[in-house]
Amino acid sequence: MARRKAAVAAPVNVDTAIVPVGKGGFVGHLVGHVVGKALPYASPWIGAATLPPLAGFATNTMWGDAPLSAGLASAALAVGGAALTATTWKTTPAATKFGRFRRAQLSASVAAGMGWLTTATAAGPFGSPVLDAWLIGGGLFAASWNVRQVIRNGASGDVESAEETGGGMAALAAAIGWEKTTVKDAKGTGKGTVKATVQVEPGSTIEAVQGTTGRVAAALQVPPSGVIVTPDPEDASRGTISLRVADLLRDGVPFAPPVELGLLPTEPIPVGLYADGEVWALDPFSAAILQHVLVMGVTGAGKSEFLRSLVAHLATRRKMTIFLVDLAKGRQTVGHIADGIDWLIQDGKTAKRLLRALPAAIKARGDRLADEGLDQWTPVSSLNAVLVWIEEAADVADFDELEEIARKARSVGIWLGISLQRATWGNVSTDVRANLQASVCFGVDKPGDASFGLPDSVTDAGAIPAWGSARPGYAYATGMGIPDARWTTEVRSGLTDRAELAALVAAGTPYRDPLDEVTATALGQAYAQRAHKGTNRTTPGVQAAPAPLAAAPEPAHDIEDDMTATEHAAALEIQEAYDEVMGSIPADPEPDAPYASLDLDDDVPATDDDEDGGMEFGAPERPSTEEARHILYVELDGWVQHGRLEFEPADLIAATVAAGRKRPWMQGELRRLTELGLIQRDGHGSYSIVQSPLQPA
């Protein structure tokens, strides 16, 4: 624009200007230019001055001499003039007020001209009052067209053009085949977006218009996601088209820190910006229904950046606890803010412990909320709000577990977040997706993948993030307190800095409340023995630590202190297998006996027939029920003390025999312990220890 203004303002150098120099030179060129500009205005006058007298003279000469011929010719011209006027009226476009004016002017000109010609045929063109009518009417006719020409070429011409084309939208509609669609009231928001009203005629639907958003985007040369058509919920024939003509998020979105530390979970969480520059905020705990969230997108689309923003904000709040499961790259993603996470899980075994313990925690929290007179969690409760975030949930738990947790956790203040690349039926069941009523969909490779995470109303409107990893951080978000009208607006999450987030989480330590006692107790040994313990106001010095090796009763060998969590787990499995094999070999009942030092190849010494002295052995006394249970409880407590929380019924055979009982008794005791909530039966016949039977509840 600056270059254009400079070019207009620069003086013309006559000596060097590129103009015709022959046959009149510059003066001739100037005269030609003036004539060209004046000719459109002179045309109506030339036509009014020459055509009527010539035509009148010709018709009068042909038919004016004989009264009968003159009468018939006049009648024919009158009928023809009426027909020509009607045709002009019908065929002249009049979609706008300027079009209607043009139609009236053109039709009146045709009617007046044909009327004068009819009269001139019979009376002659140069007699009074026919000549007077020609002079006065012709002048008015030419002047009216000059006025219209001035208006058309002047400032008002832009308005006429704009109305005739609907501000450019009607022309676009015609180009893409919206024959039964009217686009009007186009207005720019001043934030890179143009919005207009879409009205369909009978026989068409807004859904049909939604199906053409790809053609509109191509016509406007904007990204496919830059054209959104949303229906009017009050009128099925109306809708709104939104055109994103400028990307305000292209240069990135800075991370928005909390307005203050120590906020409650019910305060909005700013995580980025909308395409129009407004703040993108989540408000899950203030919504009428706590909506679990599904986060989806390909690798590199921005899921981890979004997670870090969310965790950093929640880690600075009161009455908030975070559990995070990431088996792939937990430390890489959130290692710098791990102190704000109460339980960071990076191995599958511990992840399953968490998910198996959650149902008991949900029940305990529900009972406490009932005692407090609350239908659902609010900050007035004594319980903390809890975020349970699971990366690639299909690798952690089966669908039945996730469905039960998602269905029951909502009202007790446990917010479930599941993140994965593709939410197909093979990765997360339809039942689980039905309970994940909120979504954040980052870039996907195929347009169809977006339908697994976003509602149909969003994808039908054209809000499909089919850009893969080409636009990291861009997404569409629904639920979690986001107004429905915002679901089809692009968002971009904030760009985080590791040092900034680490400092923020450290500053939030005095405000973080420890997990409430009700939930901690219900989670049992799985929570009490967690390897990672985040910091909070009561334990500010607790540091995150790698998962330790669960101690065996008598370790067969030393374990290096610098072993990784995976190496520890492998060593533990080897140790358990060793213990199981060695435990099946009975110990020597008489270590001081004469044969104790014998090898397998030695002869067995003879025994004295009188050595027994005639002693008789009776059957041992059978333990009482309480004693038998204590034997079983001691076995379970020993496992808990050594970090073992999973077992199968066969593992209790030795304790059952020692208690003088058989398998049916053991099975009955397992049912009893399950009903007491001390153990939990898993889906494949195994059990998890929630609480040691010998430890007080």
Side-chain angles (χ1 to χ4, degrees), residues 440-460:
V440 181
C441 188
F442 291 89
V444 295
D445 284 332
K446 299 178 180 179
D449 291 346
S451 62
F452 294 118
L454 293 172
D456 292 342
S457 60
V458 175
T459 55
D460 289 345

Side-chain angles (χ1 to χ4, degrees), residues 200-217:
V200 296
E201 298 177 3
S204 184
T205 63
I206 293 297
E207 287 72 18
V209 177
Q210 289 179 327
T212 64
T213 54
R215 295 202 298 268
V216 179

